[in-house]
Amino acid sequence: MSFKHRASCNNIPMELFFPGTHKKYTDKQYWDIHTLCKQCPVNVDCLAYALENDLNNGTYALPERVRKRIKAKDYIELEHILTETYKTLDIIEP
């Protein structure tokens, strides 16, 4: 993960990116993570890493359930997919 050192989450507890695996966090904390990923300069690299390595757990730029849907499609244009997905998430998740 060569992009990791440039990621916005570089100094944040990793357990926040893996819901349900550690102590219980609030919805607000998970929403803050979503916002952090949305604004991250390497979110496309992060998503590509998760998809290429078939990672099923963790955030990796998008919630797991959303990544599962993306995996089922042709994901050549990840930047476009991220932009459109974040627009949708901004509407349905707050």
Side-chain angles (χ1 to χ4, degrees):
M1 286 200 293
S2 61
F3 61 89
K4 176 67 174 135
H5 67 282
R6 296 179 294 136
S8 298
C9 64
N10 200 16
N11 295 316
I12 295 187
M14 284 291 101
E15 63 215 29
L16 276 170
F17 296 88
F18 296 88
T21 57
H22 296 281
K23 70 180 185 176
K24 189 71 172 164
Y25 288 96
T26 65
D27 288 341
K28 168 80 169 95
Q29 287 169 307
Y30 288 127
W31 183 253
D32 289 345
I33 291 303
H34 162 79
T35 303
L36 183 75
C37 288
K38 179 180 177 182
Q39 298 168 352
C40 182
V42 296
N43 60 14
V44 173
D45 297 321
C46 189
L47 176 59
Y49 176 81
L51 293 171
E52 289 167 5
N53 292 283
D54 201 27
L55 301 178
N56 293 319
N57 298 311
T59 303
Y60 296 100
L62 291 172
E64 296 166 32
R65 70 184 189 283
V66 177
R67 279 201 328 272
K68 287 178 185 176
R69 277 188 245 135
I70 290 171
K71 276 198 267 188
K73 299 178 181 178
D74 184 15
Y75 56 87
I76 303 237
E77 188 57 49
L78 289 183
E79 189 169 0
H80 175 73
I81 289 172
L82 271 176
T83 301
E84 293 304 309
T85 303
Y86 282 131
K87 284 180 189 175
T88 303
L89 290 174
D90 285 345
I91 294 167
I92 63 173
E93 291 215 9

